[in-house]
Amino acid sequence: MDPAAEQAGATLQQESGDTACPLLFVQLNQLLSTPAGPEWRETARWIKFEEKVEDGGERWSTPHVPVLPLHSLFQLRMCLQKGTILLDLDASSFKEIIDKVLPRQPEEAELQPELRQHLAALLLRQPQHQPTKPVLQLLAELSQAPCRGKVTSWPEPRAQLSETPLQEQLRNRFQKKIPLGTEAAHVAVGEVELLEKPFTAFIRLQRAVALGSLAEVALPSRFLFIMLGPRGKVKAYHEIGRAMATLLTDELFQRVARQAEHREDLIAGMEVFLDELTVLPPRKWDPSVRIPPPSCLPSLHERTAVHSPEQQSHSNGDMAAAGGRACLQHPCSGEELERTGRLFGGLLQDIRRKARWYGSDFLDALHPQCLSAVLYIYLATVTNAITFGGMLGDATANMQGVLESFLGTAFAGSIFCLFSGQPLTILSSTGPVLVFERLLFSFSQDHSLDYLEFRLWIGLWVAFFGVVLVATEASHLVQHFTRFTEEGFCALISLIFIYDSLKKMLSLTDTFPINWQYRLDNITSYSCICNLSSPGHSSAGNDTPVPSALPPQQPPPTPAGLSRTQCLGQGGHLLGTSCQYVPDVALLSTLLFGGTFISCIALRHFRSSRYFPAGVRKLVSDFAVILAILGFCAIDAALGLETPKLLVPSELKPTNPARSWIVFPFGANPWWVCLVSAVPAVLVTILIFMDQQITAVILNRREYKLQKGAGFHLDFLCVSLLMVITSITGLPWYVSATVISLAHMESLRKERATSAPGEHPEFLGIREQRLTGLAVFLLTGLSIFMAPILKHIPMPVLYGAFLHMGVAALNSIQLTDRVRLLLMPAKHQPDLIYLRHVPLRRVHLFTLIQLLCLALLWVLKSTMAAIIFPLMLLALVGIRKGLERIFPPHDLSWLDSLEGPRPGGRTERDSNAEQAGLVPRAEHRPPSP
């Protein structure tokens, strides 16, 4: 390691803890000559990225990565070596700072008293800022300009600096973009006629103080850099000022500058900055092109780690990240999964961990975003209850139907949200459970067994086995669930959502068949009468008869075989309800379906739009699905066609009149059924355990930044105990629904309210609370009494929202990215992080193995072999262990790493990607304007 890096590292070690430095707002003021005399004007500003005042001084440029001349950095280093350095200066005003700085020049550059007074007067002049104004204010000033002349809201150039903030500073809209706790740094450069040698000074104040109207926004100031020099080098002074401002926005140098005790510390920090510098050769790029801000930046830890000699020898620049891959742990491998060695030890830890958050689980829900989440997930849950309820009714001869699905969802979901360890989880009937119910009913019918009684005993055994697994801390086994297992299961559930939504839409053509043989010229054969008695009415486009004062008469017989063209040619007109028939219900349903799906995606991405203020974009994005559903419901109501609507049961009675609300354990089946039921109960237990715990692992990933911890043992206990109640009452069995739960978390994403211009909004985590899920399930139960309102919602609209959830969940996994790589030539492949470290052929082999396992799961689910589907889920863990004989550990650490993509952004472009995917994946968040 070079001496400069060592010295900078020693300076950084003086800083206690890992507390982040306050963000710096850096303003560059330049002394310019005007007809009224010299004046200070703001020419650029930085909050992480640079913004320049465009020519004409009316607007700011877009945020961009600053590009500096290399020579300006060398000149800046010379200024720090020879200029005045004042560290921890105790001053409370800008005038006091100037009075202390000017007399402390080196002997060879000492200023004469007259020149010192002249510079003090010059520095204390009020700078002309470029405030950020709303569009309406700019238009108002433009309209008033012809009457009032030039509008000047700031003091005249020769006015003295105000010691208190001006009203324009306090009203500046740019203040909203600056995070709380930000401090200011001021860079002042320019040429002065009386100076013969440059005057430079770097000042760090002992405490951040407000310096009146010096900055365009009212912030406490920490750093100042002043450089005044002789005439003739205004361009060089400007570039040195930009270099200093860029240096101050660098987090590593800023930490050094805050802890520096001597001039050498600052120079060492700058040397480290120069060591990381990348030089672009001239005439190989266009300097006028502004480089947009990147989507993510390397962390300070990675930057400091890259200086070690063994890592500098690698050329891919990712060895800092690669070094930590071998010791990657499961994203949930914290205290939640530690074995205690005691019966129910893990459960007791879960209860103690979650009890202290129970009150905040309700208070944290008092936010408008939660209302959007409730409406969105409620409609998804109702649609899911109707869909799976209908399927259960078909599979079980209505022993379980839509009403049972509604009541079971409301009851089980509410209990789970109140007492579970992860209340963001949404319980629902799932595809694998539905497959088992179908097989169980068929087996009962073939062997003359009472289905509900047989199912009751299976449910009781499953609950018993579940309690045993909780007591023995079996949830510890989820540490063996890697990305391979999780993505296979998540892809299966996502494809089920996509397949079911498309299947339901295609089935509409059975209810509303399209008349492919329809010909407009043959409409007379479709119960349409050609009336030749009223030659004055020709209704090629209207079947409403012309009003007449005469009493209606029966039309005379119409010659058989007259076509529409012949009828109209003889002066007749068409009568009948089918004269204008067109098969438009199926077409409109398809348009509603596709329109809802596309609108959900478009409105969800509206956050990245360039139109409207950030608050409006965020509001539209948060309510994207609700707005899409309401919009297409309005379109359907306006057109008035009889599209299939949401049908909700309105009576509290079993779907099958032959059953009651309580299932008795004895009477209908032989006594030995209660013992034999333990065999299928083992398979159901495996299915429930894998389904519940894989979903729990996905939802509790570290990248979601959950603060209240997980509760694997408590969640599985709740699901197991609910099996008892739902089995006794004959309600469906419930387990965590992967897709809807991911959609629930995505709708509760938290992002920093303020972000620097050009910076992508920082993902803060998920709004963890119990109220949204509880409200969703209570509304689901009350839906029985809201049938008059819900009946106006078209089913194609809800199917479109279903499709959106399935596609969003499918896009949130790395498997989807790797499948796309199979279809891309190498030169067009994105710069994914694992492609830098794993040969492409091994990436494709890993992807093909995952696809084969996914295809096998789908085949097992769809055939009579579905009885072994739970075992296949368990076999995924074994297959993953077998891959260790095919792939080296290095490749698996990148391909099967549990450090997934961030919510809202699926591409792993940097080892420091903070994981929406989602991300939460999601979609990359747009930079702030």
Side-chain angles (χ1 to χ4, degrees):
M1 184 179 296
D2 58 86
E6 289 182 356
Q7 186 169 353
T11 304
L12 289 175
Q13 287 179 1
Q14 300 174 8
E15 187 173 1
S16 59
D18 297 328
T19 305
C21 291
L23 198 62
L24 269 187
F25 165 74
V26 187
Q27 177 174 321
L28 174 60
N29 292 335
Q30 188 169 358
L31 187 63
L32 301 176
S33 298
T34 66
E39 73 172 19
W40 293 100
R41 285 186 184 176
E42 182 183 12
T43 58
R45 66 188 180 192
W46 286 255
I47 300 185
K48 295 190 176 182
F49 301 101
E50 182 180 13
E51 294 178 89
K52 296 179 179 178
V53 178
E54 304 284 24
D55 292 341
E58 293 295 334
R59 65 183 294 269
W60 286 99
S61 70
T62 57
H64 55 275
V65 178
V67 179
L68 304 173
L70 186 60
H71 191 60
S72 67
L73 290 167
F74 295 149
Q75 290 177 317
L76 175 61
R77 182 172 58 182
M78 185 177 298
C79 292
L80 294 178
Q81 290 172 342
K82 297 184 177 181
T84 302
I85 304 293
L86 298 179
L87 302 177
D88 291 334
L89 180 66
D90 187 10
S92 58
S93 67
F94 189 57
K95 185 179 185 304
E96 185 179 355
I97 295 173
I98 297 302
D99 292 341
K100 291 184 178 182
V101 169
L102 291 178
R104 298 192 184 185
Q105 284 294 293
E107 293 183 3
E108 63 274 10
E110 187 175 358
L111 302 174
Q112 298 297 324
E114 297 81 3
L115 182 57
R116 192 183 304 164
Q117 293 179 1
H118 176 70
L119 292 182
L122 197 61
L123 289 169
L124 290 175
R125 289 185 181 180
Q126 171 64 47
Q128 297 288 329
H129 301 303
Q130 177 63 33
T132 303
K133 301 178 181 178
V135 177
L136 295 178
Q137 182 179 348
L138 291 175
L139 293 176
E141 292 180 358
L142 184 64
S143 63
Q144 296 172 1
C147 303
R148 299 184 181 180
K150 182 180 179 181
V151 178
T152 56
S153 57
W154 291 87
E156 293 299 322
R158 292 185 181 275
Q160 290 293 311
L161 188 73
S162 173
E163 295 185 358
T164 58
L166 303 177
Q167 289 297 321
E168 288 76 4
Q169 288 176 280
L170 302 177
R171 293 198 300 262
N172 193 350
R173 296 177 69 247
F174 186 70
Q175 185 87 33
K176 298 179 180 179
K177 298 289 183 183
I178 302 177
L180 295 176
T182 302
E183 297 177 348
H186 307 274
V187 179
V189 298
E191 56 181 11
V192 180
E193 184 176 2
L194 300 179
L195 276 178
E196 297 179 357
K197 295 181 180 181
F199 165 77
T200 61
F202 179 86
I203 304 107
R204 184 186 71 204
L205 299 179
Q206 185 177 16
R207 64 184 186 280
V209 296
L211 299 181
S213 59
L214 185 60
E216 68 163 293
V217 288
L219 293 173
S221 301
R222 176 70 68 174
F223 297 100
L224 295 97
F225 177 78
I226 302 171
M227 180 178 182
L228 301 175
R231 285 187 174 276
K233 298 182 179 181
V234 61
K235 178 64 175 176
Y237 300 153
H238 177 72
E239 294 300 333
I240 293 174
R242 291 184 61 240
M244 186 72 249
T246 303
L247 201 60
L248 285 172
T249 58
D250 181 73
E251 186 178 0
L252 186 58
F253 178 81
Q254 185 190 145
R255 286 175 178 260
V256 174
R258 289 179 180 274
Q259 298 298 320
E261 296 180 355
H262 309 285
R263 181 192 306 267
E264 290 74 16
D265 296 335
L266 291 174
I267 297 174
M270 186 173 181
E271 292 292 342
V272 173
F273 179 86
L274 292 173
D275 287 343
E276 298 186 55
L277 203 61
T278 300
V279 178
L280 296 175
R283 299 177 62 84
K284 301 300 181 183
W285 67 294
D286 186 1
S288 64
V289 175
R290 291 168 176 166
I291 303 175
S295 58
C296 58
L297 297 171
S299 66
L300 181 63
H301 172 73
E302 290 175 348
R303 290 182 56 193
T304 54
V306 82
H307 287 293
S308 59
E310 63 273 14
Q311 292 176 352
Q312 286 182 345
S313 61
H314 299 279
S315 60
N316 59 13
D318 294 308
M319 295 311 298
R325 306 298 287 192
C327 60
L328 283 177
Q329 296 180 347
H330 196 279
C332 304
S333 60
E335 60 177 358
E336 296 95 339
L337 296 177
E338 290 182 355
R339 297 185 70 95
T340 64
R342 304 188 306 270
L343 285 179
F344 296 102
L347 175 64
L348 295 177
Q349 284 189 344
D350 284 351
I351 295 174
R352 283 194 293 265
R353 184 185 312 111
K354 302 300 293 187
R356 63 192 181 97
W357 297 105
Y358 200 79
S360 67
D361 283 344
F362 294 92
L363 297 178
D364 292 346
L366 302 179
H367 191 277
Q369 185 183 19
C370 294
L371 175 61
S372 168
V374 168
L375 297 177
Y376 173 30
I377 302 303
Y378 163 66
L379 291 177
T381 303
V382 167
T383 307
N384 190 66
I386 291 176
T387 302
F388 282 97
M391 293 179 180
L392 275 173
D394 296 338
T396 63
N398 286 330
M399 288 297 179
Q400 298 177 75
V402 176
L403 179 63
E404 288 80 4
S405 181
F406 267 79
L407 294 179
T409 301
F411 174 77
S414 300
I415 296 300
F416 187 86
C417 286
L418 286 174
F419 302 107
S420 67
Q422 182 49 272
L424 295 175
T425 304
I426 299 296
L427 292 192
S428 174
S429 297
T430 61
V433 175
L434 174 63
V435 171
F436 191 88
E437 294 273 19
R438 181 184 293 112
L439 294 175
L440 181 62
F441 183 79
S442 299
F443 181 85
S444 301
Q445 294 294 103
D446 294 341
H447 296 81
S448 302
L449 297 176
D450 184 89
Y451 162 69
L452 291 179
E453 184 179 317
F454 189 20
R455 181 178 179 272
L456 167 62
W457 282 108
I458 293 177
L460 295 177
W461 278 111
V462 170
F464 171 74
F465 292 147
V467 173
V468 172
L469 292 176
V470 172
T472 56
E473 300 178 303
S475 296
H476 177 75
L477 298 175
V478 305
Q479 297 190 62
H480 299 288
F481 295 170
T482 65
R483 178 193 293 270
F484 181 88
T485 307
E486 296 169 18
E487 287 191 343
F489 183 78
C490 184
L492 175 68
I493 302 301
S494 302
L495 290 176
I496 290 176
F497 264 68
I498 296 173
Y499 174 79
D500 286 343
S501 60
L502 295 175
K503 180 181 177 182
K504 285 290 184 179
M505 276 304 305
L506 293 177
S507 66
L508 291 180
T509 58
D510 298 332
T511 307
F512 305 97
I514 298 176
N515 187 2
W516 299 104
Q517 290 75 32
Y518 178 83
R519 297 293 181 272
L520 183 62
D521 200 45
N522 296 331
I523 56 174
T524 52
S525 62
Y526 306 139
S527 301
C528 185
I529 300 175
C530 176
N531 189 354
L532 299 176
S533 63
S534 302
H537 184 100
S538 179
S539 67
N542 191 354
D543 62 351
T544 304
V546 175
S548 173
L550 299 176
Q553 299 178 356
Q554 294 293 330
T558 302
L562 282 182
S563 66
R564 173 180 178 273
T565 303
Q566 294 170 341
C567 178
L568 297 177
Q570 296 183 18
H573 65 279
L574 305 176
L575 294 177
T577 57
S578 63
C579 291
Q580 298 301 319
Y581 169 76
V582 289
D584 47 12
V585 173
L587 175 61
L588 179 62
S589 298
T590 303
L591 294 177
L592 294 175
F593 171 74
T596 304
F597 171 68
I598 295 174
S599 297
C600 287
I601 296 178
L603 293 177
R604 179 68 72 181
H605 287 81
F606 192 71
R607 191 189 302 264
S608 62
S609 172
R610 297 181 181 273
Y611 303 101
F612 301 103
V616 175
R617 298 199 307 266
K618 183 179 184 301
L619 185 65
V620 172
S621 179
D622 289 341
F623 287 81
V625 179
I626 298 302
L627 292 177
I629 291 176
L630 293 179
F632 281 90
C633 286
I635 292 176
D636 176 78
L639 296 178
L641 294 178
E642 295 184 359
T643 53
K645 299 298 192 296
L646 180 64
L647 299 179
V648 180
S650 56
E651 296 181 359
L652 286 173
K653 61 181 182 180
T655 305
N656 190 326
R659 58 155 293 185
S660 64
W661 284 118
I662 300 296
V663 179
F664 295 96
F666 297 103
N669 292 333
W671 65 269
W672 47 264
V673 171
C674 63
L675 302 178
V676 175
S677 302
V679 177
V682 172
L683 297 176
V684 178
T685 303
I686 296 175
L687 175 63
I688 297 296
F689 181 84
M690 296 293 292
D691 200 339
Q692 171 65 34
Q693 300 295 37
I694 290 178
T695 303
V697 167
I698 294 174
L699 298 183
N700 289 285
R701 280 184 176 275
R702 186 184 298 116
E703 58 265 23
Y704 287 110
K705 299 183 179 181
L706 300 180
Q707 302 298 319
K708 300 181 180 181
F712 293 94
H713 310 281
L714 182 57
D715 287 348
F716 192 65
L717 178 66
C718 291
V719 171
S720 300
L721 296 181
L722 285 172
M723 292 285 290
V724 176
I725 302 176
T726 54
S727 299
I728 292 176
T729 55
L731 300 178
W733 290 331
Y734 291 95
V735 72
S736 297
T738 307
V739 174
I740 300 182
S741 298
L742 285 173
H744 187 207
M745 295 189 70
E746 173 66 17
S747 65
L748 294 170
R749 288 173 53 94
K750 292 191 299 182
E751 292 180 343
R752 188 178 296 278
T754 58
S755 55
E759 181 185 21
H760 291 248
E762 180 183 358
F763 173 67
L764 300 178
I766 304 296
R767 203 171 299 281
E768 301 174 66
Q769 35 72 45
R770 298 178 183 270
L771 203 55
T772 55
L774 183 61
V776 164
F777 292 116
L778 290 179
L779 286 175
T780 303
L782 294 175
S783 298
I784 300 174
F785 307 103
M786 295 190 294
I789 300 175
L790 297 177
K791 69 179 182 181
H792 297 290
I793 302 178
M795 288 303 296
V797 171
L798 298 181
Y799 294 150
F802 248 48
L803 180 63
H804 169 257
M805 285 192 294
V807 171
L810 194 62
N811 284 334
S812 68
I813 58 178
Q814 188 199 80
L815 174 61
T816 306
D817 289 333
R818 288 188 275 106
V819 170
R820 293 192 184 107
L821 292 179
L822 293 172
L823 308 176
M824 290 185 188
K827 64 178 181 180
H828 295 302
Q829 292 174 354
D831 186 22
L832 300 171
I833 188 66
Y834 50 83
L835 292 181
R836 302 182 186 180
H837 303 276
V838 183
L840 185 60
R841 66 181 183 278
R842 291 188 178 274
V843 174
H844 289 339
L845 177 60
F846 188 84
T847 305
L848 291 175
I849 293 175
Q850 268 192 295
L851 291 177
L852 288 176
C853 292
L854 178 61
L856 183 58
L857 287 174
W858 185 272
V859 171
L860 289 177
K861 178 196 75 69
S862 306
T863 62
M864 292 302 296
I867 191 67
I868 64 171
F869 179 81
L871 298 178
M872 184 58 195
L873 284 178
L874 197 60
L876 287 179
V877 180
I879 293 174
R880 166 58 182 83
K881 296 294 290 185
L883 292 180
E884 296 177 2
R885 297 181 176 272
I886 303 176
F887 296 89
H890 172 269
D891 293 353
L892 288 177
S893 69
W894 288 100
L895 294 175
D896 201 30
S897 148
L898 289 165
E899 294 294 322
R902 72 162 175 252
R906 289 176 296 103
T907 55
E908 298 176 26
R909 299 184 181 275
D910 194 280
S911 58
N912 186 44
E914 38 167 304
Q915 275 312 317
L918 245 106
V919 228
R921 196 156 93 54
E923 70 220 52
H924 284 300
R925 296 302 183 198
S928 299

